[in-house]
Amino acid sequence: MPTIKIYSTKLCPFCYAAKSLLTKKGAAYEEIDVTFDPSTRAKMSELAGGRTSVPQIWIGERHVGGFDDLNALEAAGELDPLLA
Ligand SMILES: N[C@@H](CCC(=O)N[C@@H](CS)C(=O)NCC(=O)O)C(=O)O
């Protein structure tokens, strides 16, 4: 299984939804909480091509995007192969 990184904040329903979906899939992830860490959030944004919202999710080297993007992969049947 590839390394999964998720940048999150504490009061973020989309973050909880993304983590819940990954957990449902049995996928372990590394969470980077940027709630009180603006410099790491700025770095996240730079890595994410300018996207500022959380969550931002990487599966391996692939930048997936936010929860909507993760969920779209799931709906298209493309998430399981990425996690394999
Ligand atoms: N469509 C995005 C929405 C994410 C979103 O709106 N996140 C909020 C926190 S729950 C946020 O980061 N808002 C601040 C911003 O957009 O810069 C997703 O599915 O991840």
Side-chain angles (χ1 to χ4, degrees):
M1 194 170 270
T3 301
I4 301 173
K5 283 189 185 175
I6 173 164
Y7 288 77
S8 69
T9 58
K10 293 189 195 308
L11 295 175
C12 166
F14 294 99
C15 301
Y16 286 105
K19 291 186 284 182
S20 171
L21 177 53
L22 290 169
T23 299
K24 193 180 101 185
K25 292 283 171 188
Y29 53 81
E30 178 192 346
E31 182 170 13
I32 300 142
D33 184 343
V34 296
T35 308
F36 302 112
D37 190 347
S39 73
T40 302
R41 187 165 183 161
K43 186 182 147 211
M44 173 203 83
S45 181
E46 200 179 303
L47 294 171
R51 292 178 71 170
T52 57
S53 63
V54 284
Q56 291 299 320
I57 303 156
W58 278 259
I59 298 178
E61 295 300 309
R62 175 172 168 162
H63 176 229
V64 169
F67 169 67
D68 290 349
D69 304 296
L70 185 71
N71 206 34
L73 286 174
E74 168 68 348
E78 294 172 19
L79 184 56
D80 286 345
L82 264 185
L83 295 175

